[in-house]
């Protein structure tokens, strides 16, 4: 696939995923909805592997890589689906946009990691300020939204830590094998949580919820992930990182246009601060070097 269309697919999939999560969970069965999504994605991914005549690696390092991805698949998604019942879809995307900031902070606690520089710390501090503004807004609205924000923060932390763990295992797996293996280990966790959640065994889904589940299974869990790894292998990391700045803005607009969401002024201010923080974290040092080069 050409790089341009792959980049566009990643932007569109990441921008529409929060709204898809909200629609698929709107009938009141978030765990059943996400479990169904992952089951369909696992079936489709396994069929693709079969067509390609490729099997899953089952050596110790591959199994460790699949297991390292489980917190990011099971933990982050279960929390996100619960939080979606209280939060606007655009805010889900903004919170996940903080993943590079949280990943950078996690890496500081691990041996051999690159030390954060001035702009990185500025971005982290500004991101915390933006997060504080969002949390204060949630506190004014009520405890339900505040709890949902805490779930999203935990979800992003699990997602970030899981990604670092997969990188550190370095099993050399292709993106499709990694995805299918992670789904295979995560699905029993979703099943156990669903059976103990008290949700009905017949998963209630609205008409648009059914479409959202199918969309997220095929595009959110498979195609988007594959295209992301493709552009990551072909483009500069800074170019790929732009996705995390573009998608929250699109997601906020889609939520307002298609789901009649009206985030408060203070929530939008917090979201703006988080996006500025992310921009400073990702591109601050790069801009400093460019200015120094032009001055010289």
């Amino acid at each position: 696939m050409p790089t341009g269309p792959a980049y566009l697919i990643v932007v569109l999939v990441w921008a529409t995923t929060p709204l898809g999560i909200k629609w698929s969970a709107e009938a009141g069965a978030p765990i059943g909805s996400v479990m169904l999504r992952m089951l369909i994605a696992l079936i489709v991914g396994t069929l693709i592997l079969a067509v390609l005549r490729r099997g899953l690696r089952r050596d110790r390092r591959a199994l460790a890589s699949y297991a390292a991805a489980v917190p990011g698949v099971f933990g982050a998604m279960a929390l996100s689906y619960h939080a979606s019942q209280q939060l606007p879809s655009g805010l889900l995307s903004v919170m996940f946009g903080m993943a590079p900031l949280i990943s950078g902070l996690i890496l500081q606690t691990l041996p051999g990691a690159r030390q954060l520089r001035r702009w990185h710390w500025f971005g982290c501090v500004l991101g915390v300020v933006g997060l504080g503004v969002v949390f204060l807004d949630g506190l004014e609205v009520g405890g339900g939204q505040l709890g949902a924000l805490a779930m999203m923060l935990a979800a992003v932390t699990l997602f970030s830590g899981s990604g670092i763990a997969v990188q550190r295992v370095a099993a050399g797996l292709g993106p499709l094998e990694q995805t299918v293996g992670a789904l295979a280990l995560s699905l029993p966790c979703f099943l156990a949580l669903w059976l103990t959640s008290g949700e009905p065994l017949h998963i209630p889904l609205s008409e648009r919820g059914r479409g959202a589940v199918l969309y997220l299974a095929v595009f959110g869990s498979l195609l988007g992930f594959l295209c992301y790894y493709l552009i990551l292998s072909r483009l500069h990391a800074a170019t790929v990182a732009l996705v995390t700045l573009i998608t929250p803005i699109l997601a906020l607009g889609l939520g307002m246009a298609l789901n009649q969401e009206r985030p408060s002024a203070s929530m939008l201010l917090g979201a703006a601060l988080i996006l500025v923080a992310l921009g400073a974290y990702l591109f601050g040092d790069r801009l400093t070097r460019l200015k120094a080069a032009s001055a010289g």
Side-chain angles (χ1 to χ4, degrees):
M1 179 185 291
T3 305
Y7 195 96
L8 181 61
I9 287 172
V10 172
V11 170
L12 292 177
V13 168
W14 284 20
T16 52
T17 290
L19 189 58
I21 288 175
K22 195 161 184 69
W23 283 355
S24 62
E26 66 184 352
I31 301 304
S33 299
V34 67
M35 183 189 68
L36 185 59
R37 165 189 171 178
M38 298 306 172
L39 175 61
I40 295 171
L42 177 59
I43 292 171
V44 173
T46 302
L47 289 174
I48 293 174
L49 283 176
V51 170
L52 296 176
R53 301 188 179 220
R54 285 155 54 185
L56 281 181
R57 276 175 46 191
R58 297 177 186 175
D59 56 272
R60 182 175 298 179
R61 180 168 287 186
L63 293 175
S65 186
Y66 305 148
V70 170
V73 176
F74 168 65
M77 287 298 100
L79 290 169
S80 298
Y81 270 71
H82 264 301
S84 71
Q85 299 187 299
Q86 298 286 339
L87 299 177
S89 61
L91 189 56
L92 301 182
S93 183
V94 171
M95 293 290 285
F96 261 100
M98 290 189 65
L101 302 179
I102 295 175
S103 295
L105 292 175
I106 293 174
L107 283 170
Q108 296 310 292
T109 66
L110 301 176
R114 188 184 70 171
Q115 294 300 304
L116 295 182
R117 300 175 68 180
R118 181 182 60 183
W119 278 103
H120 296 139
W121 285 113
F122 173 76
C124 290
V125 171
L126 188 59
V128 170
V129 172
L131 190 61
V133 172
V134 172
F135 266 80
L136 285 174
D137 182 81
L139 185 61
E140 293 176 4
V141 172
Q145 192 167 80
L146 188 63
L149 286 168
M151 284 184 187
M152 281 306 302
L153 183 58
V156 179
T157 302
L158 286 172
F159 177 79
S160 302
S162 179
I164 292 170
V166 170
Q167 287 182 332
R168 294 237 159 181
V169 171
L173 295 164
L176 182 58
E177 289 84 356
Q178 177 65 51
T179 303
V180 173
L183 289 171
L185 289 190
S186 298
L187 195 59
C189 301
F190 282 114
L191 178 61
L193 182 60
W194 177 58
L195 292 175
T196 57
S197 67
E199 290 185 6
L201 295 181
H202 171 72
I203 302 172
L205 291 170
S206 63
E207 184 174 346
R208 67 181 181 181
R210 287 192 291 271
V213 168
L214 287 173
Y215 172 79
L216 291 173
V218 176
F219 291 91
S221 297
L222 287 175
L223 183 61
F225 191 76
L226 294 174
C227 288
Y228 172 71
Y229 272 94
L230 186 147
I231 65 173
L232 198 61
S233 66
R234 296 180 181 176
L235 298 176
H236 190 278
T239 305
V240 177
L242 276 173
V243 174
T244 58
L245 282 173
I246 297 169
T247 52
I249 298 170
L250 291 177
L252 283 166
L254 287 172
M256 293 178 185
L258 301 179
N259 208 45
Q260 293 75 53
E261 296 173 358
R262 295 294 179 265
S264 66
S266 57
M267 188 169 284
L268 289 175
L269 173 61
L273 288 172
I274 290 172
L275 292 178
V276 172
L278 185 61
Y281 182 90
L282 294 173
F283 303 109
D285 284 341
R286 184 179 175 86
L287 290 175
T288 301
R289 288 195 298 269
L290 288 174
K291 286 182 180 179
S294 61

